Amino acid sequence: MAELFARDTLSSQRWRRRLVPNQPFVVGRTTSIFPVSWDKQVSSKHASLTWNGVQLEVRKIEEAVNPVFYDSRPRISFMLDPGKHFVIGHTEFLLENSEPTMPLPHRSPKTEVTIRPEEIRATSFRKTPGRIELLTELVSKMTASTDHEQLLTIMLQQLLQGIPHSTDVVLLEKEKSEVAAYIPVAWDSRDGISTPGGCSQGLIENATKTQMCVLHVWPVDSDSDASDYTQVAGHDWAMCIPLKIKLHQEAALYISGTRAQLDGNLPEVELLQDDIKFAELVGSTFANLSRNLALERRQSQLNQFFTPGLLDHVVTDLESFLAPREAELMVMFCDLRGFTSAAEEHFDRLIPYLNQTSETLSLITSAILAQQGVIGDFHGDAVMGFWGWPVPMEENPLGAIQAAWELVQKLAGEDFLCGESAPKAGIGMAAGPAVAGMIGSRDQVKVTAFGPTVNLASRIEGLTKPLGIPLLLDENVVAKLQCHPSMPPSSFVRLGCFRLAGLRHPTQVFTVNTGDHDWVPTFSQALVQFEDGDWQSAGRLLQEIPGSFGPGKLLTQFMQQHQQRPPADWDGVIARTGK
């Protein structure tokens, strides 16, 4: 495991960060995860770094004022091997690639103290020199932190400062595996550089299974029987405090060191109990703030998919409420038109086109969220939204069509049946069963839906281009909407029956009838005759339809391709081979 260790050569300030292979990051005075706030000679963004699994690539950012020194010489870029360091200002950056020793088995300690966390908080410090000040400083620093790594660094340093006879501090997290062992994930030591030795496996198991704060003391006098007791990593005392951090991560704080110096008449174990109280307060503060940050991050992520009103429906735990399940959904795909070709033609102006597209995508997502829909996914310059999960469609039965109509008005205009210009977006909607839910890890959330209904909505959206109609619906959407008193049968116009690419069953496709065109009934009659095989009558009626009406044009072209005669196996369905 590779880590970057940064320390101020003029003070005790430092941090240690784990490196992720092939994930670039920036070191600077104001960067969020790798900040060097103590050194004014470090620019806001000073160097870009990438760990490739073997070496650390370091590149000075052009805007950075002061040089980056490696091997006592200023460098613009270089490759750093583990064990080597570079310097910016009065800050030294050391690359380490070492694994901490895993917990080790041991025999019984000389003394064991087990205390419930609530009992610790109810007692007072026996000796409090400087600890109240440290705790006040801790709260101030931690509440100003913006991420888990910053909280972790502050906690480890405050523990070493507040427990002078401690040597190592280790945070262990429980693995998500069958073995479910606790493994070291972060640590700090008195000298700031050394990798901690092994922790006591028995002590960790005792504390985590009982959810107690446990202290072990091993003998150090030469007269004791060494065969009865075993020290761990050269330490004669250690304590372990169970924690719950992030959202649901089980963890343990392990602190160890050499024998405490007795102060007056205070017994040794009582002195270490003071240390337990201090460590428990620091650890619980860290754990609470870590969970708060994780919840804020989760809420921020969920806000990208849900409106606050939708999340107000949560009456049980969030995990169960958002778990994937089968539901009756209404799915909408909205795809922007012309961006791909424009980007190819004006590749030298990609940023302006990207900004324009982002603004339009924001308009689409806002319309979906405003109607209590869920943002399911982004497919290039297309957005997928759906209704029916996590709450049933009955809660907002017209939400989907209202969102779609708002987008039609903003992107195509109300007179979309015979628009003078091509629509700026295509919207396809389908209704039916699908699986929807939140998938991913606890910290990285993705909400989506999948199943035949989703595929059908995507295919219907693709049909908007050849038909020239920006809003198309399948028969299930129309059936559900017609159940509402405000949506009579005349609200929709059937445009034909299509067998869409990749789908076996034909689909009746509709659009919204604005009531502004008196030729709509004529088209409906022509469509019936076309499907019945009376193409001569259908052709005569279609001549009365405006040439800019895409569905009428498509029927005319289809009949011309077949020499005005229906095929022998004609069933009234138009097969589409492409999206």
Side-chain angles (χ1 to χ4, degrees):
M1 178 171 59
E3 291 188 313
L4 185 65
F5 175 68
R7 70 181 186 93
D8 183 11
T9 58
L10 302 182
S11 70
S12 60
Q13 297 188 81
R14 62 181 184 267
W15 50 248
R16 184 188 299 270
R17 297 283 190 273
R18 188 185 307 183
L19 304 181
V20 179
N22 302 316
Q23 182 173 307
F25 62 94
V26 175
V27 165
R29 198 173 65 257
T30 59
T31 53
S32 59
I33 300 180
F34 292 82
V36 191
S37 56
W38 58 74
D39 194 336
K40 293 184 178 180
Q41 297 182 50
V42 177
S43 299
S44 297
K45 294 181 179 179
H46 205 108
S48 175
L49 298 86
T50 304
W51 169 248
N52 62 18
V54 179
Q55 292 178 305
L56 182 67
E57 181 182 5
V58 182
R59 291 184 178 274
K60 177 180 174 293
I61 295 176
E62 186 175 352
E63 292 76 15
V65 177
N66 293 311
V68 178
F69 286 93
Y70 173 56
D71 278 348
S72 302
R73 291 188 297 166
R75 301 288 187 93
I76 299 298
S77 65
F78 54 91
M79 302 300 294
L80 191 71
D81 292 320
K84 301 291 186 178
H85 72 276
F86 63 93
V87 176
I88 305 175
H90 49 79
T91 302
E92 180 184 83
F93 298 86
L94 173 65
L95 176 63
E96 296 182 316
N97 193 10
S98 59
E99 294 285 347
T101 306
M102 297 298 290
L104 304 172
H106 76 287
R107 299 180 69 179
S108 301
K110 181 186 75 171
T111 305
E112 177 179 289
V113 176
T114 302
I115 313 175
R116 295 181 182 274
E118 55 269 24
E119 293 175 352
I120 294 176
R121 297 172 198 140
T123 61
S124 301
F125 281 117
R126 294 168 175 80
K127 303 289 287 185
T128 61
R131 281 184 169 165
I132 299 300
E133 292 78 5
L134 278 174
L135 289 171
T136 303
E137 180 184 356
L138 169 80
V139 174
S140 176
K141 287 182 176 180
M142 281 192 168
T143 52
S145 300
T146 57
D147 63 71
H148 179 78
E149 294 292 337
Q150 289 182 5
L151 288 176
L152 184 53
T153 297
I154 294 169
M155 176 192 68
L156 298 177
Q157 293 180 2
Q158 293 291 96
L159 286 170
L160 288 170
Q161 188 175 352
I163 306 176
H165 44 273
S166 63
T167 304
D168 294 330
V169 182
V170 182
L171 180 71
L172 305 105
E173 291 184 3
K174 187 178 182 180
E175 287 184 303
K176 298 177 179 64
S177 64
E178 295 181 1
V179 179
Y182 281 79
I183 61 171
V185 295
W187 57 85
D188 204 348
S189 56
R190 178 65 55 186
D191 61 11
I193 299 177
S194 303
T195 301
C199 303
S200 165
Q201 180 177 322
L203 173 55
I204 296 169
E205 290 177 354
N206 190 352
T208 55
K209 287 181 179 179
T210 62
Q211 290 297 296
M212 301 274 204
C213 302
V214 181
L215 166 69
H216 280 184
V217 179
W218 293 276
V220 295
D221 56 288
S222 57
D223 296 333
S224 63
D225 187 353
S227 64
D228 292 337
Y229 307 102
T230 304
Q231 291 177 271
V232 178
H235 297 150
D236 50 46
W237 69 269
M239 66 178 69
C240 187
I241 299 169
L243 302 174
K244 289 190 183 296
I245 62 175
K246 300 177 183 176
L247 288 179
H248 304 282
Q249 178 66 57
E250 294 186 43
L253 189 59
Y254 188 95
I255 309 166
S256 58
T258 54
R259 186 58 53 89
Q261 297 295 318
L262 299 185
D263 189 350
N265 296 323
L266 193 65
E268 180 182 67
V269 171
E270 289 188 3
L271 178 61
L272 289 171
Q273 284 181 263
D274 259 12
D275 296 336
I276 293 180
K277 180 176 178 63
F278 178 77
E280 199 281 331
L281 286 172
V282 173
S284 60
T285 302
F286 161 73
N288 290 334
L289 291 175
S290 173
R291 291 197 299 271
N292 286 343
L293 282 176
L295 287 171
E296 289 176 2
R297 184 166 58 252
R298 167 68 66 85
Q299 185 67 37
S300 176
Q301 292 170 329
L302 290 176
N303 286 341
Q304 300 175 41
F305 308 102
F306 306 105
T307 60
L310 197 59
L311 289 175
D312 288 343
H313 287 79
V314 179
V315 294
T316 58
D317 65 288
L318 188 63
E319 299 289 340
S320 299
F321 184 72
L322 302 181
R325 62 179 179 272
E326 186 171 330
E328 284 290 321
L329 300 186
M330 195 170 291
V331 182
M332 180 177 80
F333 270 84
C334 185
D335 187 25
L336 303 183
R337 297 287 189 238
F339 173 76
T340 302
S341 58
E344 290 178 353
E345 293 177 8
H346 304 281
F347 62 89
D348 56 334
R349 298 183 58 202
L350 286 180
I351 296 300
Y353 278 107
L354 177 61
N355 292 337
Q356 180 182 353
T357 302
S358 297
E359 292 177 5
T360 309
L361 290 175
S362 297
L363 185 151
I364 297 171
T365 56
S366 297
I368 294 172
L369 293 175
Q371 294 298 331
Q372 301 295 302
V374 178
I375 304 299
D377 214 340
F378 290 89
H379 300 264
D381 50 2
V383 180
M384 186 262 280
F386 58 89
W387 288 256
W389 178 96
V391 296
M393 273 189 292
E394 289 74 17
E395 304 244 350
N396 188 18
L398 299 182
I401 193 64
Q402 288 172 344
W405 188 245
E406 177 185 344
L407 293 174
V408 166
Q409 291 177 306
K410 291 181 177 179
L411 299 176
E414 289 190 24
D415 188 12
F416 65 92
L417 291 181
C418 292
E420 295 181 358
S421 58
K424 297 179 181 178
I427 303 171
M429 298 177 61
V435 174
M438 181 181 67
I439 62 173
S441 67
R442 292 188 176 98
D443 295 326
Q444 298 295 323
V445 180
K446 180 178 180 181
V447 174
T448 192
F450 49 93
T453 303
V454 178
N455 298 334
L456 178 58
S458 177
R459 292 293 187 270
I460 292 175
E461 179 276 313
L463 192 60
T464 61
K465 197 167 186 179
L467 288 183
I469 304 293
L471 174 59
L472 300 178
L473 325 168
D474 82 331
E475 63 265 36
N476 292 330
V477 171
V478 172
K480 290 181 179 297
L481 293 176
Q482 286 180 337
C483 293
H484 198 274
S486 65
M487 304 292 286
S490 59
S491 300
F492 305 97
V493 180
R494 191 172 69 89
L495 302 180
C497 188
F498 298 85
R499 183 173 289 106
L500 301 173
L503 303 179
R504 289 184 300 171
H505 301 291
T507 301
Q508 296 285 353
V509 175
F510 295 76
T511 192
V512 174
N513 183 14
T514 61
D516 299 331
H517 304 290
D518 55 7
W519 46 261
V520 169
T522 302
F523 170 78
S524 298
Q525 183 179 356
L527 178 60
V528 172
Q529 292 175 341
F530 168 80
E531 292 175 337
D532 288 344
D534 186 0
W535 285 11
Q536 290 185 351
S537 299
R540 287 193 295 268
L541 290 174
L542 288 173
Q543 291 177 0
E544 304 176 21
I545 307 300
S548 57
F549 182 56
K553 187 187 305 184
L554 186 142
L555 295 186
T556 300
Q557 292 174 348
F558 187 87
M559 290 187 293
Q560 290 174 349
Q561 290 171 2
H562 292 82
Q563 289 77 42
Q564 301 297 331
R565 291 184 179 181
D569 58 350
W570 175 245
D571 58 358
V573 178
I574 300 175
R576 299 291 301 176
T577 57
K579 182 184 175 184

